[in-house]
Amino acid sequence: MPGNRPPAPVRLTLTAPRRAKPPRHLADLTMAERRDAVAELGERPFRADQLSRHYFGRLTASPEQMTDLPGGSRDRLVSALLPPLLTPVRELACDGGTTRKTLWRLFDGALVESVLMRYPDRTTICVSSQAGCGMNCPFCATGQAGLTRNLSTAEIVEQVVAGARSLAKGEVPGGPGRISNVVFMGMGEPMANYKAVVAAIRRLTSPVPEGLGISARGITVSTVGLVPAIERLAQEGLPVTLAVSLHAPDDELRDTLVPINTRWKVAEVLDAAWNYAAVTKRRVSIEYALIRDINDQEWRADLLGRLLQGRLAHVNLIPLNPTPGSPWTASRPRDERAFVRRLESYGIPVTVRDTRGREIDGACGQLAARDREDRKAGAR
Ligand code: SAH
């Protein structure tokens, strides 16, 4: 692939198109802002605390359940501060119901998805931060349709609350449970929607009633490597895990797999990652999708090993999830094994991501992609 033809002209979108804003929601606001908003409605400020406790503690947005609020205020408070933001369009489950993917429609018709994965020792929800994505990585289904818009803070938080609600209700096999981990690995580039994502992380990690009370250590933000945003994130005082989607150790190949590399090179991205690790004391996760005969050669494992040796990092290898219309596929098992062994010889911790949810296009923007294809097929 590389070498014999110049890289395609890069179509990258760093700023989101201007669009109508989603309705304001309690989860967009800090506790102080909620009190102000409630006061503007002519209600006593402590109603904001009650409303927040319903939403983040009891995970409800239904006025009937808010019996501690005066009947006359309930509907007004709920319609002003808890508007519905996400409508389920489709739900798919596999792994005996412990992996569940939801395609959501937003107020303006934009589609996003989230995936809930329950394991014996933890429950992870993978959330979207944008509708579509502007980063145009050629192996990723989300990238193919471009960026529709940024999600609001509350649209991000609502994905987690919806997952927490179905777990608390016992809808996921294994009995009632809680969310322990949130990964920003659904649709979108979280560092291109910086303010909303950081506010969402604050809401997720603040204790009830301000937020959902999830540990920051259970949160992972995955990025293509927007260097200024990584530097800024290091200064937020939020000990979240940073995941860098590297996918190639050399600029020549990474320029084609992760086109933003033409702006911030491998060395710059890794410098920002090591700075992040130094400031936060958190081990950085290096994401590497293994693509057959593209980036899975042993010499590339060596190059990667030399880049990461001695660093506070681990490598998460992801067998490529083939996307419709792409010739690329996952590495052969023996090449994958050789890649792992070679990396480990540098003392680098390596995990191979399980391919949970593959039957339901679980990993990578593929349900929304499938929906687009279905509609195209319907139109034909
Ligand atoms: N934009 C962010 C987060 C979204 S994707 C980022 O790029 O990090 C989460 C991870 O899934 C990224 O590492 C991404 O490169 C990877 N990914 C996307 N499509 C994939 C595919 N078809 N197979 C395997 N991994 C994929």
Side-chain angles (χ1 to χ4, degrees), residues 8-261:
V10 183
R11 174 178 61 85
L12 292 172
T13 318
L14 275 164
T15 48
R18 276 186 194 284
R19 290 185 183 253
K21 280 207 172 142
R24 180 184 68 171
H25 186 282
L26 178 148
D28 290 314
L29 310 175
T30 63
M31 207 65 212
E33 291 167 341
R34 288 174 214 167
R35 293 194 189 109
D36 290 347
V38 164
E40 273 163 33
L41 295 168
E43 297 283 346
R44 310 270 299 280
F46 74 92
R47 300 283 178 220
D49 299 60
Q50 290 176 304
L51 212 53
S52 301
R53 206 168 286 282
H54 284 300
Y55 182 69
F56 283 116
R58 301 181 56 212
L59 306 170
T60 182
S62 335
E64 317 80 73
Q65 294 186 19
M66 303 183 181
T67 48
D68 56 342
L69 291 169
S73 316
R74 267 186 234 170
D75 287 338
R76 185 169 34 170
L77 284 167
V78 168
S79 61
L81 284 164
L82 292 172
L85 297 176
L86 308 179
T87 311
V89 176
R90 198 187 295 197
E91 302 213 45
L92 292 172
C94 64
D95 303 317
T98 56
T99 301
R100 313 168 79 90
K101 171 155 171 159
T102 310
L103 178 68
W104 304 102
R105 178 171 289 117
L106 309 180
F107 87 104
D108 57 354
L111 298 174
V112 297
E113 59 197 15
S114 59
V115 185
L116 190 70
M117 291 158 282
R118 188 169 204 178
Y119 303 88
D121 59 331
R122 66 185 194 282
T123 300
T124 300
I125 189 160
C126 175
V127 297
S128 297
S129 56
Q130 298 181 311
C133 185
M135 295 298 114
N136 206 23
C137 303
F139 57 89
C140 172
T142 305
Q144 307 322 303
L147 177 62
T148 302
R149 69 168 169 87
N150 281 333
L151 300 197
S152 66
T153 298
E155 286 172 328
I156 298 169
V157 171
E158 265 268 276
Q159 296 169 56
V160 182
V161 169
R165 193 178 282 144
S166 75
L167 267 171
K169 283 190 187 157
E171 289 171 6
V172 184
R178 299 167 63 91
I179 286 179
S180 53
N181 296 76
V182 179
V183 298
F184 286 81
M185 293 189 181
M187 296 172 81
E189 168 48 45
M191 291 295 91
N193 184 15
Y194 187 88
K195 276 175 72 176
V197 165
V198 167
I201 295 169
R202 294 200 190 283
R203 239 55 99 214
L204 297 176
T205 54
S206 299
V208 177
E210 170 121 33
L212 213 47
I214 295 172
S215 163
R217 294 175 184 281
I219 296 182
T220 298
V221 174
S222 181
T223 178
V224 289
L226 304 185
V227 166
I230 295 173
E231 286 168 350
R232 202 170 152 197
L233 189 67
Q235 304 304 323
E236 297 283 352
L238 287 168
V240 298
T241 298
L242 178 72
V244 173
S245 296
L246 199 66
H247 304 316
D250 53 307
D251 287 319
E252 187 187 7
L253 179 56
R254 195 168 191 266
D255 280 349
T256 67
L257 294 182
V258 185
I260 197 71
N261 195 69

